[in-house]
Amino acid sequence: MSSIADELEIYIITYNREKELSETLNSLLHSPVKDCFITVLDNNSQDNTSMVCGEYEQKFTKFNYIKNNRNLGPSGNILKAMEMASKKWMWILGDDDTYNWDAWPEIEAAMAEDYD
């Protein structure tokens, strides 16, 4: 039987929002998706985003940080995530999203049932 981490990958789109990104990553670190592969797609931030990602790379078991050589814009970065996706399910997040995991069992059940 496969686990959620085998079937779900998470992409976080970011640009110059190190504080918000750190809060989002911290939330994911303490969540049911903490063992999923997480990729941060950085739209060429000029702040400390790369440093924040370096810190969280040590905390997650599967973490990838990619800094674009130029700003693709939010839509371009989302398209990049869609092109990179390789698992059955993908979740694209913003760098300032907040989460309530109370309904997660319902989401996981829907994924297990292959709900579209």
Side-chain angles (χ1 to χ4, degrees):
M1 181 175 170
S2 63
S3 73
I4 195 73
D6 295 328
E7 297 187 345
L8 173 66
E9 58 191 324
I10 298 169
Y11 291 86
I12 303 172
I13 307 305
T14 193
Y15 177 67
N16 281 341
R17 299 195 340 166
E18 63 189 83
K19 180 180 180 281
E20 293 86 349
L21 177 62
S22 181
E23 291 170 3
T24 295
L25 289 171
N26 191 56
S27 176
L28 294 179
L29 187 62
H30 300 93
S31 78
V33 298
K34 68 182 177 293
D35 294 323
C36 293
F37 203 96
I38 297 172
T39 299
V40 174
L41 293 177
D42 180 0
N43 249 337
N44 200 17
S45 295
Q46 303 304 306
D47 62 0
N48 291 317
T49 294
S50 62
M51 188 171 72
V52 167
C53 288
E55 292 171 12
Y56 280 93
E57 186 173 29
Q58 306 303 314
K59 298 176 183 181
F60 284 100
T61 57
K62 301 175 216 157
F63 187 88
N64 191 23
Y65 169 69
I66 298 172
K67 184 172 183 174
N68 299 329
N69 59 6
R70 62 183 176 88
N71 188 332
L72 305 176
S75 297
N77 224 4
I78 290 169
L79 288 173
K80 183 174 183 172
M82 294 174 86
E83 289 173 352
M84 292 177 64
S86 62
K87 298 208 179 210
K88 182 176 181 178
W89 303 96
M90 72 173 301
W91 190 9
I92 300 175
L93 308 176
D95 55 12
D96 63 345
D97 291 345
T98 57
Y99 308 93
N100 179 330
W101 300 103
D102 293 345
W104 182 255
E106 293 175 48
I107 295 168
E108 197 166 356
M111 293 169 69
E113 294 173 15
D114 208 22
Y115 186 81
D116 185 11

